Amino acid sequence: MPDFDLVIRNGTVATATDVFDSDVGIRDGVIVALGQGLGAGAQDYDARGKLVLPGGIDSHTHIAEPRTGPTANADSFASGSASAALGGTTTVIGFARQARGGSIAAGVAEHLARAAESRIDYSFHMILTDPRPDILAEELPNLVAQGHRSFKIFLTYEGARISDAEALDVMATARRLGALVCIHAEHHDLIMFYTRALLAAGLTAPKHHAWAKPMVVESECVHRVCAMAEALDVPIQVFHVSGAESAEEIARAQARGLKVWGETCTQYLVLTAEDLDRPGFEGAKYVCSPAPRSQADQAALWEMIRRGVIQNVTSDHAPTRYAGPDGKTAFGLDAPFTQIPNGLPGLAARMPILFSEGMVKGRIDLPTFVSLTATHAAKLFGLHPRKGTIAIGSDADLAIWDPTKRVTLTQALMGDANDHTPYEGMAVTGWPETTLVRGVPVVEHGRVVGAAGHGRFLPRGPYPMIAPRGVFPGPFNPVDGVAV
Ligand code: URP
Ligand code: ZN
Ligand code: ZN
């Protein structure tokens, strides 16, 4: 009788704190032994020359999110999760959305049904587009108790954005319920002012998307949401920090002791606004919000990563095909930038690009790579230590990584249902060979082998990292209406 279901032998294990040579013994989907020369396994995997990494956690992914049309999200959970696993990711956090005037409970139920075909594990942030008193007081307490422990709010995008007053109500509710608020921070009215002026001036090409939202649009709003978080003593995560000034706002908030966490995305580390100016209408492939910025901003983000100001890197996978009636070109090849759907695909590319641009190029070390791609997100979203690390008792979610393999990124390698990758032609060093979710291969030697439906919903209970500090800027706690 073998001691283990599977032993991964002779690899180099990396966590967010350590790098060591060790076998990994797996039983019933869980890591049960670490050490050299482990006993017999029903199956053995020789990882000599490979890194054994915690499977990635991509905590910002728009998979199978419905839209009102005519454009559509290209992925189902079957295709999106295949793409994630091809890139070494074993858990995604997606978004269940409240329709304006509708119920978030209904949005969650519908998204749970879509996610049932996921090959990898998943959890949700709840997008609140209409935080009415009944939603805050009646629906959210139940949903948080069911394990949906984070909210996303948008301060821009027609149809999704909420006002500052509503954002404060959401933050107060999150504080009472022990949930984390994640924020898309851009100054909507400024974007609209710029946009009207650009359209009036006939400046409508994809590159003008970036002109409509210069950094001040983001950095002002990041400053504002940090102030709101400080006033209400509410922990927040600022999503998709795209460059120097907004990262500096996060750094300043952190220096004041606030629980403000900053996320950036792959695209802000390797793309720039110049990509929006590619020939023809190709720039449409790079339309996302915030817009990609400059090489100086990329350098600033790496510096903020090194300083620990930015602690997780996600894909913000938001796939819209380029071609077809539901694609980025749905309104024609000369459509104004306002009619190009926002968002880029990037599930499979995230970890390889981070490894290559970060680790291989000497910008970060291996534990930092692990933390950025898995461990920090696990901690921030209440999944640690079940997810995001290699430890006895953790789920056997692993990426067996060839650190020297050279790969040129192509759409075919992404494995999603999109028709292009913004990273086409990029050369990377380091590639996941095999990805295991709870001990079961989902990708084996670069091929998707995991069944749709293998993924499990991950409910998230209360956890101390997002507890409020109990510190207010004055003598009054405005959330509970009491003196402090
Ligand atoms: O352009 C982007 N980022 N689209 C996805 C939705 C969002 O704003 O996160
Ligand atoms: Zn966003
Ligand atoms: Zn997003």
Side-chain angles (χ1 to χ4, degrees):
M1 171 90 174
D3 298 330
F4 306 103
D5 299 331
L6 171 65
V7 180
I8 298 164
R9 296 190 187 279
N10 307 317
T12 299
V13 170
T15 69
T17 51
D18 297 298
V19 180
F20 52 100
D21 292 336
S22 178
D23 301 342
V24 181
I26 297 165
R27 199 183 311 122
D28 297 329
V30 171
I31 298 168
V32 292
L34 291 167
Q36 287 173 333
L38 291 186
Q43 282 187 294
D44 271 14
Y45 191 108
D46 185 10
R48 192 174 298 278
K50 307 290 189 305
L51 299 172
V52 182
L53 307 175
I57 297 179
D58 194 339
S59 54
H60 185 162
T61 65
H62 303 271
I63 302 172
E65 261 179 57
R67 299 188 199 153
T68 48
T71 72
N73 186 299
D75 272 315
S76 64
F77 265 90
S79 60
S81 61
S83 179
L86 282 165
T89 289
T90 52
T91 294
V92 283
I93 307 186
F95 294 90
R97 191 185 183 100
Q98 178 196 20
R100 277 257 168 90
S103 143
I104 180 61
V108 168
E110 287 160 14
H111 216 51
L112 280 170
R114 292 181 199 107
E117 60 179 358
S118 182
R119 300 167 205 271
I120 68 173
D121 289 352
Y122 54 90
S123 198
F124 299 154
H125 310 295
M126 296 184 287
I127 295 178
L128 302 175
T129 62
D130 189 7
R132 308 182 302 269
D134 58 311
I135 298 290
L136 301 181
E138 290 158 30
E139 292 202 7
L140 289 182
N142 285 330
L143 291 163
V144 171
Q146 289 161 25
H148 307 286
R149 200 160 280 277
S150 44
F151 311 150
K152 176 166 188 184
I153 55 174
F154 289 92
L155 298 184
T156 187
Y157 291 145
E158 289 303 352
R161 77 190 177 101
I162 61 174
S163 68
D164 284 4
E166 290 170 320
L168 289 167
D169 288 339
V170 169
M171 287 184 181
T173 303
R175 189 179 194 277
R176 293 189 195 105
L177 296 178
L180 183 63
V181 185
C182 304
I183 307 179
H184 181 125
E186 290 187 290
H187 190 314
H188 182 75
D189 289 330
L190 255 181
I191 295 170
M192 290 299 109
F193 192 91
Y194 265 100
T195 300
R196 282 191 298 273
L198 285 161
L199 296 182
L203 300 173
T204 64
K207 73 172 181 183
H208 298 119
H209 169 75
W211 293 25
K213 40 181 66 196
M215 171 50 90
V216 65
V217 160
E218 179 184 336
S219 59
E220 181 283 334
C221 198
V222 172
H223 177 84
R224 185 164 19 116
V225 297
C226 290
M228 290 156 77
E230 182 169 12
L232 270 57
D233 184 32
V234 177
I236 57 169
Q237 157 128 110
V238 179
F239 270 166
H240 37 51
V241 173
S242 71
E245 284 94 335
S246 58
E248 281 156 15
E249 293 294 345
I250 308 269
R252 274 194 280 275
Q254 291 173 348
R256 297 202 295 282
L258 303 185
K259 289 191 176 185
V260 170
W261 292 281
E263 167 214 82
T264 192
C265 311
T266 325
Q267 51 268 36
Y268 303 113
L269 294 170
V270 296
L271 302 178
T272 67
E274 284 177 24
D275 288 302
L276 287 150
D277 196 19
R278 291 196 183 205
F281 202 61
E282 286 288 299
K285 294 179 178 173
Y286 300 87
V287 168
C288 64
S289 290
R293 306 217 182 268
S294 65
Q295 284 185 352
D297 285 295
Q298 293 175 358
L301 289 175
W302 284 113
E303 177 61 18
M304 290 296 184
I305 285 172
R306 273 193 294 275
R307 283 171 51 189
V309 172
I310 304 271
Q311 292 147 315
N312 59 332
V313 180
T314 68
S315 66
D316 194 1
H317 181 80
T320 307
R321 289 186 198 97
Y322 183 69
D326 60 0
K328 288 219 175 211
T329 56
F331 294 96
L333 290 172
D334 56 358
F337 65 86
T338 48
Q339 291 192 308
I340 302 170
N342 277 240
L344 313 181
L347 278 165
R350 179 184 74 118
M351 291 179 71
I353 289 176
L354 248 288
F355 187 86
S356 189
E357 290 294 313
M359 246 292 292
V360 175
K361 293 197 174 168
R363 291 173 166 127
I364 54 173
D365 61 12
L366 188 52
T368 304
F369 169 78
V370 171
S371 182
L372 285 171
T373 54
T375 316
H376 178 76
K379 290 181 176 172
L380 184 60
F381 293 106
L383 295 167
H384 193 266
R386 178 174 171 195
K387 303 291 190 188
T389 192
I390 297 180
I392 291 171
S394 296
D395 281 357
D397 290 357
L398 302 169
I400 302 173
W401 196 278
D402 183 341
T404 57
K405 186 166 178 176
R406 288 169 188 236
V407 173
T408 299
L409 301 185
T410 61
Q411 172 53 26
L413 282 175
M414 300 297 104
D416 58 21
N418 212 32
D419 64 358
H420 68 277
T421 168
Y423 310 112
E424 185 78 31
M426 184 179 290
V428 296
T429 301
W431 194 255
E433 173 177 278
T434 288
T435 306
L436 306 172
V437 175
R438 286 175 277 103
V440 175
V442 175
V443 168
E444 210 163 26
H445 301 290
R447 257 182 356 102
V448 178
V449 295
H454 175 64
R456 292 277 171 275
F457 171 65
L458 299 168
R460 294 180 282 127
Y463 55 105
M465 186 163 176
I466 60 165
R469 297 186 306 147
V471 177
F472 291 89
F476 187 64
N477 165 350
V479 177
D480 301 314
V482 293
V484 288

